[in-house]
Amino acid sequence: MFRREIRVSDTLMFLILINCSLRSTVRHGFPYQPSALAFDPVQKILAIGTQTGALRLFGRPGVECYCQHDSGAAVIQLQFLINEGALVSALADDTLHLWNLRQKRPAILHSLKFNRERHFEMQFWQGKLFFKLKYFLFRSSKSHPGPIVHISDNPMDEGKLLIGFESGTVVLWDLKSKKADYRYTHDEAIHSVAWHHEGKQFICSHSDGTLTIWNVKSPTKPFQTITPHGKQLKDGKKPEPCKPILKVEYKTTRAGEPFIILSGGLSYDTVGRRPCLTVMHGKSTAVLEMDYSIVDFLTLCETPYPNDFQEPYAVVVLLEKDLVLIDLAQNGYPIFENPYPLTIHESPVTCCEYFADCPVDLIPALYSVGARQKRQGYSKKEWPISGGNWGLITQSYPEIIITGHADGSIKFWDASAITLQVLYKLKTAKVFEKSRNKDDRPNTDIVDEDPYAIQIISWCPESRMLCVAGVSAHVIIYRFSKQEVTTEVIPMLEVRLLYEINDVESPDGEQVPPLPTPGTGSNPQSIVPQSHPSTSSSSSDGLRDNVPCLKVKNSPLKQSPGYQIELVIQLVWVSGEPPQQITSLAVNSAYGLVVFGNCNGIAMVDYLQKTVLLNLGTIELYGSNDPYRREPRSPRKTRQPSGAGLCDINEGTMVPEDRCKSPTSAKMSRKLSLPTELKPDLDVKDNSFSRSRSSSVTSIDKESREAISALHFCETFTRKTDTSPSPCLWVGTTLGTVLVIVLNLPPGGEQRLLQPVIVSPSGTILRLKGAILRMAFLDTTGSLVPPAHEPWRELNVPEDKDEKDKSKKRRPVSVSPSSSQEISENQYAVICSEKQAKVISLPSQNCIYKQNITETSFVLRGDIVSLSNSICLACFCANGHIMTFSLPSLRPLLDVYYLPLTNMRIARTFCFTNNGQALYLVSPTEIQRLTYSQETCENLQEMLGELFTPVETPEAPNRGFFKGLFGGGAQSLDREELFGESASGKASRSLAQHIPGPGGIEGVKGAASGVVGELARARLALDERGQKLGELEEKTAAMLYSADSFSKHAHEMMLKYKDKKWYQF
């Protein structure tokens, strides 16, 4: 019966995943290495291009889109076809692309590949005109003016073209007569040019920090010269030169003075000053400092027409690592509160965890405490980028992402329904004393910088207990509270954890007698709780000893509502040796315990009683059953008493058929530093992941250490003879060993705070190839057995006696053994290592399923997750493959090449979670989410927001009777008549190559047919098994209707641009 139930569950999992493929869903965060900016003033959509060829489109909060050019060339310029649902991108590889934004996933309609010529420089304008223009200019001048930095037509006369050259020359070119009307010359190089809306003046920015305003009909000298940041000299001399003004914009208003907005131009004596944006309005000049370098900026105006009063209301400033919007309508120019999740990289991300299907009250609780952290002083107006519409919310379960950062901060994000919003930020560094000068640096040799960086996060969503490990070998335990408290003395424990070995021999070598353990307790099978250790600054021989890496504050600490410190644990120096970084961490709220380990050993702490329960070297966990010949190099000095070691074990139960004679070794360096990309240069490839992973060695390197790589609290069978489950801790090491430690917990309530927790060995040892990564347990039905947890309750508010009695700890329920011969097993242990996965039946400890995941590579991340009421094992390998296996049979379900391991950032942040979701840090500033869930793949199109919405284009400005009579209004130009084949001849094929894009009707139909094919195969598979298809057919019809709608929009756009030449886009 039991085997039949498992087989049914396993088959359902196979049916769920067999027709599903891996798919990227959404990308969050700030666009990495931005290079271009554009805005549609009617649709209210913002576009950002990057140096890696990516496009990020932003509408109203919650409406975002990511696109990628296949070539990966840098985007150098972007231009919307206003209110047309189209975007043109110019790339550094001399290509132009027309994007269709009238579908949820924008695609390229047309592309042009220009051929490089001797004098070719691509400028983003009507292309064919530009090449003829260069010819005429070159022919009519003795020397070529040089590179072009600006090209635009007169707002009032499209037949007049203004060309700005870097050399300082500006030419007003008449397109009809094909000759220059005026030439304007200046001594300083030009960086940018901008028109006045009436077309009678234009302004230039120069390399010496000056602005020159020119009257169109007065080319001899500038109408006005301004040095915004230059010091005016008393004797009438020219102001001192300043830094170049890189860009200037000239925007007019009906009721007042025009706005002149510029970047750069600061005085050379302002050394160390941050980049600035200057806003000049009338007689006032405001200098707005930015945190990062300015890439580009745009002024948002009420009208889309350049020949009308602009009425600017905001400025979008694209910075190197931020996006800022400035309100021009309020005094002081406050910034808008940015609603996009663009602060992921506020401090470099060092670790990441993903939790799906969390308790429903968790996100509101985090939001309520996080709302108090919001800054003040923002603009009171609504966010001006408000285009697009939200998608349908088809996922009802809450999702939370937790990111750990280099400055010690932790951020909680609401990731429900493919959106992302910051909920709460926790600063762990505030518990430590900050060094005021360079001589007073922390006593750490582990990291060169960022001593507070978060390395591991362990979180229990049900109890809201949080435990983090930092790179300075410290662990902090937090408890969630909605009340503000003041902690007079921060609870602290210091732990000495150091064990060195002299030699290591093959597991086949001769066994050694049990290792002597310093400090013997009265009970050889138990560990006696310790008191707070005494500390000293140095040992007798002058070496640094008993000193932690960081100093905890000794003054009262005011803790705001949210996560509040329960206990700080620090590893200390031992005889001149710095503590090793923590490699694994686990917390359990039901037991009140936290455990952590590194390459030296393992330590367990009772955070309720604030005592150390266990402090052992890794080889002491084996006792007499150690398969390697290892002896201590030298006895430890003044070691913390830890009771009897776990060495007096006579009932070792190593599984013979599971024993790996040559396990994987993992070298641990004495001094570890943060990956390179976490330092100021954010994305330098780190190929230092060089751990020895040979599976056929006969001995371990002498300098290698067996580190603790996985920890899991559970309630299961610890020995073969057990008849009922009991609380225990499963420990996995980098040599592929799994050991089990039994926990004897006192009764709950007040007794839990008075009686000690007894820790004893079980003797159980299991072996796998490669370092242990993950462990989990299944019950008799194949369902996941969650670790025991305590429901969250507010401890800072006194509770009634009745409520105290009701707050009982919830433990997982195990099926009791039966006398029936069919039910001989009660639980399954699922263990995943870098090389293989095994399913062990409990309590017999027989390996019933085994799967070699990879032979040539190794698993970076493995998670046991739930998906559609079933359980599976999801793995990400260093060779780029993502694989899933059914449980408990470990049948391969999915094997897709997705992402190669190019740097340690990916390995450090990749994680799976329930419901077929996963994520990783795709760049130092962006999170990429992906799914292998069939339901999410089917509903993704509905969940995505729409960028384009039908909006009427504002009416063009009225020319007026007199302007129309005397020709003073704007004059249009028939570019087809001027540049068409009839006037200019047929364009040379060698000039550019036209490439049809996948965004046309053929591409949409192909995508639709691909979706239909996948659904048809899924329906065939389910038909063979007698399943109903009513709901599936409804989804099929909806997707076909959606595909037809996309086809219609694409076809309309194709017809619109079909008969137009490429220079008319």
Side-chain angles (χ1 to χ4, degrees):
M1 177 180 175
F2 171 66
R3 294 300 179 98
R4 184 163 58 251
E5 289 177 354
I6 292 294
R7 197 178 300 115
V8 170
S9 174
D10 210 28
T11 303
L12 289 176
M13 172 58 69
F14 180 76
L15 295 179
I16 289 167
L17 282 175
I18 193 65
N19 290 306
C20 182
S21 60
L22 195 69
R23 187 173 183 181
S24 297
T25 53
V26 289
R27 183 171 292 194
H28 303 296
F30 182 76
Y32 183 55
Q33 295 180 333
S35 56
L37 183 67
F39 182 71
D40 188 328
V42 178
Q43 286 290 321
K44 307 288 186 183
I45 298 173
L46 185 74
I48 297 177
T50 72
Q51 296 180 24
T52 58
L55 280 180
R56 293 287 299 278
L57 297 144
F58 297 90
R60 66 179 58 193
V63 178
E64 298 179 31
C65 185
Y66 162 76
C67 310
Q68 177 69 45
H69 294 91
D70 292 336
S71 66
V75 180
I76 58 175
Q77 200 165 352
L78 294 171
Q79 180 66 51
F80 278 101
L81 301 184
I82 295 176
N83 205 27
E84 295 287 346
L87 175 71
V88 182
S89 58
L91 271 62
D93 62 352
D94 304 326
T95 57
L96 290 176
H97 303 276
L98 176 64
W99 290 83
N100 176 20
L101 307 183
R102 292 176 178 251
Q103 55 193 54
K104 291 190 173 183
R105 284 190 178 273
I108 295 175
L109 282 172
H110 300 281
S111 297
L112 283 176
K113 172 66 176 176
F114 290 92
N115 298 321
R116 284 187 177 270
E117 295 179 2
R118 184 176 179 183
H119 297 292
F120 173 74
E121 294 173 10
M122 188 172 67
Q123 288 290 328
F124 198 12
W125 203 66
Q126 282 71 23
K128 189 174 180 182
L129 166 65
F130 173 76
F131 301 114
K132 283 186 172 293
L133 175 69
K134 287 199 70 174
Y135 168 73
F136 285 119
L137 285 174
F138 187 81
R139 184 181 63 179
S140 60
S141 60
K142 295 181 180 179
S143 61
H144 196 281
I148 296 175
V149 295
H150 177 84
I151 184 168
S152 63
D153 50 17
N154 190 313
M156 286 295 183
D157 187 355
E158 294 180 355
K160 306 293 184 180
L161 193 68
L162 193 69
I163 307 113
F165 295 88
E166 188 181 54
S167 60
T169 299
V170 180
V171 175
L172 185 65
W173 189 269
D174 190 307
L175 296 175
K176 292 182 180 179
S177 63
K178 299 180 181 179
K179 65 179 182 179
D181 285 349
Y182 299 102
R183 293 177 184 273
Y184 314 86
T185 57
H186 194 69
D187 296 336
E188 298 294 335
I190 292 176
H191 284 273
S192 67
V193 183
W195 278 102
H196 187 281
H197 85 275
E198 292 180 346
K200 297 178 181 179
Q201 286 184 335
F202 62 89
I203 187 170
C204 302
S205 68
H206 299 278
S207 58
D208 64 344
T210 59
L211 299 172
T212 55
I213 301 176
W214 298 79
N215 287 329
V216 171
K217 296 184 179 181
S218 301
T220 55
K221 64 176 183 178
F223 167 73
Q224 187 179 2
T225 301
I226 306 171
T227 309
H229 299 288
K231 294 181 180 179
Q232 299 295 332
L233 302 179
K234 295 181 180 180
D235 53 2
K237 294 182 180 180
K238 289 178 63 177
E240 294 180 359
C242 297
K243 297 177 183 178
I245 297 177
L246 302 178
K247 184 177 180 179
V248 64
E249 290 200 348
Y250 198 10
K251 302 299 179 183
T252 56
T253 60
R254 295 182 186 275
E257 298 287 337
F259 282 87
I260 299 177
I261 304 169
L262 56 104
S263 62
L266 294 177
S267 176
Y268 279 105
D269 60 4
T270 56
V271 180
R273 190 169 183 177
R274 293 186 293 180
C276 295
L277 185 81
T278 304
V279 180
M280 302 175 65
H281 185 217
K283 295 182 179 180
S284 68
T285 300
V287 180
L288 309 176
E289 290 191 346
M290 303 293 160
D291 292 332
Y292 305 102
S293 299
I294 297 175
V295 177
D296 197 2
F297 71 89
L298 289 174
T299 307
L300 307 188
C301 303
E302 297 289 352
T303 176
Y305 298 101
N307 57 355
D308 194 9
F309 287 98
Q310 301 300 291
E311 301 295 344
Y313 60 89
V315 181
V316 182
V317 188
L318 178 62
L319 305 178
E320 187 181 15
K321 299 175 186 176
D322 200 2
L323 181 70
V324 177
L325 260 75
I326 301 168
D327 187 354
L328 294 178
Q330 284 187 238
N331 294 331
Y333 305 129
I335 65 172
F336 290 88
E337 184 178 7
N338 198 322
Y340 304 134
L342 303 183
T343 59
I344 293 172
H345 65 288
E346 187 176 22
S347 174
V349 177
T350 54
C351 63
C352 192
E353 293 295 337
Y354 191 9
F355 299 87
D357 205 7
C358 301
V360 293
D361 60 340
L362 195 52
I363 289 178
L366 290 169
Y367 181 81
S368 64
V369 296
R372 307 182 187 187
Q373 299 177 332
K374 290 188 177 181
R375 293 169 51 189
Q376 303 296 324
Y378 290 111
S379 171
K380 297 179 181 178
K381 293 185 178 180
E382 292 185 0
W383 183 252
I385 304 170
S386 56
N389 288 322
W390 293 303
L392 298 176
I393 300 177
T394 59
Q395 291 181 348
S396 58
Y397 54 87
E399 300 174 73
I400 292 178
I401 296 172
I402 305 179
T403 54
H405 299 265
D407 64 352
S409 62
I410 296 174
K411 291 183 180 179
F412 292 78
W413 305 83
D414 178 7
S416 307
I418 71 171
T419 61
L420 193 69
Q421 181 183 6
V422 66
L423 292 171
Y424 172 70
K425 180 179 178 181
L426 173 65
K427 297 179 180 179
T428 65
K430 68 179 183 180
V431 71
F432 300 108
E433 295 282 359
K434 298 290 182 66
S435 56
R436 298 181 179 179
N437 51 61
K438 294 183 179 179
D439 298 331
D440 190 25
R441 296 184 65 185
N443 295 320
T444 175
D445 285 349
I446 299 182
V447 289
D448 297 326
E449 55 186 29
D450 297 325
Y452 311 109
I454 304 299
Q455 197 169 18
I456 308 174
I457 297 173
S458 179
W459 188 49
C460 177
E462 289 79 11
S463 65
R464 305 181 188 176
M465 290 297 299
L466 174 67
C467 189
V468 297
V471 294
S472 296
H474 63 277
V475 175
I476 309 177
I477 306 167
Y478 289 93
R479 192 184 293 274
F480 187 84
S481 174
K482 294 182 179 180
Q483 306 296 320
E484 183 179 288
V485 297
T486 299
T487 305
E488 297 296 331
V489 179
I490 299 174
M492 182 187 67
L493 283 177
E494 293 178 357
V495 179
R496 296 170 59 88
L497 188 59
L498 179 68
Y499 199 89
E500 296 184 352
I501 58 174
N502 188 34
D503 197 7
V504 179
E505 292 188 4
S506 169
D508 293 333
E510 197 179 330
Q511 287 205 347
V512 296
L515 295 170
T517 305
T520 308
S522 58
N523 186 352
Q525 292 291 332
S526 64
I527 305 299
V528 179
Q530 303 173 24
S531 59
H532 194 286
S534 60
T535 59
S536 61
S537 60
S538 62
S539 60
S540 57
D541 52 3
L543 297 176
R544 187 180 295 175
D545 193 52
N546 274 348
V547 179
C549 296
L550 301 173
K551 184 179 180 182
V552 177
K553 287 182 178 178
N554 53 13
S555 57
L557 180 65
K558 183 179 179 181
Q559 302 195 72
S560 303
Y563 275 100
Q564 299 170 353
I565 297 169
E566 177 79 8
L567 180 64
V568 178
I569 308 168
Q570 292 194 88
L571 297 182
V572 297
W573 288 66
V574 179
S575 302
E577 291 289 335
Q580 291 295 308
Q581 289 184 352
I582 294 168
T583 56
S584 57
L585 176 71
V587 64
N588 188 281
S589 60
Y591 305 157
L593 303 177
V594 63
V595 61
F596 55 91
N598 59 15
C599 62
N600 283 333
I602 185 173
M604 186 186 298
V605 172
D606 182 346
Y607 65 79
L608 296 178
Q609 298 186 20
K610 311 294 188 293
T611 57
V612 179
L613 300 175
L614 183 68
N615 178 18
L616 290 177
T618 309
I619 64 173
E620 291 179 286
L621 293 172
Y622 290 93
S624 58
N625 291 311
D626 185 10
Y628 307 100
R629 185 180 180 87
R630 295 181 284 197
E631 295 181 2
R633 182 183 302 169
S634 58
R636 276 182 276 184
K637 300 177 181 180
T638 62
R639 182 180 180 230
Q640 257 179 272
S642 58
L646 302 185
C647 56
D648 298 326
I649 302 174
N650 298 318
E651 49 181 17
T653 54
M654 185 176 296
V655 184
E657 65 270 19
D658 298 343
R659 179 170 175 172
C660 173
K661 295 184 179 181
S662 16
T664 302
S665 64
K667 295 184 178 180
M668 293 294 170
S669 62
R670 169 65 66 185
K671 182 176 180 180
L672 302 178
S673 61
L674 289 176
T676 310
E677 67 266 22
L678 297 183
K679 297 178 182 180
D681 247 349
L682 282 181
D683 195 26
V684 179
K685 290 185 178 180
D686 187 349
N687 297 319
S688 61
F689 199 75
S690 56
R691 295 166 61 181
S692 171
R693 302 186 181 277
S694 171
S695 59
S696 59
V697 294
T698 57
S699 65
I700 303 173
D701 190 89
K702 291 183 179 181
E703 293 185 10
S704 68
R705 300 200 179 192
E706 184 177 14
I708 307 298
S709 58
L711 296 164
H712 188 82
F713 285 105
C714 56
E715 198 160 311
T716 185
F717 301 91
T718 58
R719 302 178 180 89
K720 288 183 178 181
T721 56
D722 285 355
T723 58
S724 61
S726 60
C728 58
L729 171 69
W730 285 52
V731 181
T733 74
T734 53
L735 296 187
T737 303
V738 177
L739 306 106
V740 183
I741 298 174
V742 181
L743 308 174
N744 188 358
L745 301 170
E750 295 181 359
Q751 294 297 317
R752 174 62 183 85
L753 300 177
L754 299 175
Q755 297 183 18
V757 177
I758 308 300
V759 181
S760 59
S762 68
T764 299
I765 301 179
L766 305 173
R767 297 298 309 281
L768 278 79
K769 291 181 182 178
I772 305 299
L773 299 179
R774 197 71 60 193
M775 296 173 284
F777 295 86
L778 308 179
D779 61 13
T780 55
T781 64
S783 300
L784 192 66
V785 178
H789 62 268
E790 183 184 54
W792 177 80
R793 58 191 178 91
E794 181 61 72
L795 294 181
N796 293 329
V797 176
E799 57 182 355
D800 299 334
K801 185 178 179 181
D802 295 338
E803 292 179 353
K804 285 185 178 180
D805 297 337
K806 291 180 182 178
S807 59
K808 295 181 179 179
K809 298 177 183 177
R810 187 156 60 97
R811 303 278 179 87
V813 180
S814 301
V815 177
S816 57
S818 170
S819 58
S820 172
Q821 295 294 326
E822 294 182 358
I823 308 181
S824 57
E825 305 293 347
N826 296 285
Q827 279 187 357
Y828 283 127
V830 182
I831 307 172
C832 175
S833 75
E834 291 177 329
K835 291 289 186 179
Q836 62 181 191
K838 289 184 179 181
V839 176
I840 310 293
S841 64
L842 299 176
S844 68
Q845 300 180 10
N846 293 323
C847 177
I848 59 172
Y849 296 109
K850 176 181 176 181
Q851 178 67 245
N852 290 323
I853 300 174
T854 178
E855 293 291 341
T856 59
S857 184
F858 56 92
V859 179
L860 287 168
R861 177 77 182 217
D863 287 295
I864 293 91
V865 295
S866 63
L867 177 61
S868 300
N869 299 320
S870 298
I871 307 299
C872 71
L873 169 64
C875 299
F876 171 54
C877 295
N879 59 11
H881 283 254
I882 291 180
M883 296 178 284
T884 58
F885 302 89
S886 66
L887 288 177
S889 65
L890 291 176
R891 280 196 293 174
L893 301 175
L894 184 72
D895 187 352
V896 177
Y897 177 77
Y898 178 75
L899 178 74
L901 179 63
T902 54
N903 54 53
M904 283 298 296
R905 181 187 62 251
I906 299 173
R908 190 179 60 252
T909 58
F910 199 103
C911 52
F912 298 95
T913 189
N914 295 330
N915 300 321
Q917 311 296 327
L919 65 80
Y920 65 98
L921 205 66
V922 66
S923 75
T925 63
E926 297 168 292
I927 286 177
Q928 177 66 55
R929 294 167 68 178
L930 54 142
T931 183
Y932 49 94
S933 163
Q934 184 180 9
E935 180 183 359
T936 305
C937 288
E938 290 175 355
N939 297 330
L940 182 61
Q941 195 69 20
E942 298 178 4
M943 296 167 67
L944 294 173
E946 293 183 1
L947 287 168
F948 179 81
T949 54
V951 180
E952 276 194 36
T953 304
E955 190 174 331
N958 190 359
R959 295 175 61 185
F961 174 75
F962 290 103
K963 285 187 177 180
L965 183 63
F966 297 105
Q971 299 181 26
S972 60
L973 178 71
D974 188 351
R975 290 196 171 97
E976 178 63 29
E977 180 184 345
L978 190 61
F979 307 118
E981 293 182 3
S982 60
S984 302
K986 201 168 185 178
S988 172
R989 291 187 178 181
S990 62
L991 184 65
Q993 176 187 1
H994 175 257
I995 306 170
I1001 187 169
E1002 295 83 1
V1004 175
K1005 282 185 176 179
S1009 64
V1011 173
V1012 174
E1014 290 293 331
L1015 292 174
R1017 284 192 291 274
R1019 185 170 65 178
L1020 179 62
L1022 292 174
D1023 274 335
E1024 293 175 353
R1025 297 162 179 84
Q1027 300 293 327
K1028 294 180 181 180
L1029 294 176
E1031 184 179 355
L1032 186 61
E1033 288 174 354
E1034 290 178 4
K1035 290 183 179 180
T1036 305
M1039 295 186 73
L1040 286 174
Y1041 176 78
S1042 178
D1044 290 339
S1045 176
F1046 294 150
S1047 301
K1048 182 180 178 181
H1049 285 310
H1051 186 59
E1052 290 175 356
M1053 181 164 286
M1054 186 191 69
L1055 292 177
K1056 181 173 182 179
Y1057 294 102
K1058 180 180 179 183
D1059 299 327
K1060 292 189 176 183
K1061 305 302 178 183
W1062 56 270
Y1063 55 79
Q1064 294 175 307
F1065 291 143

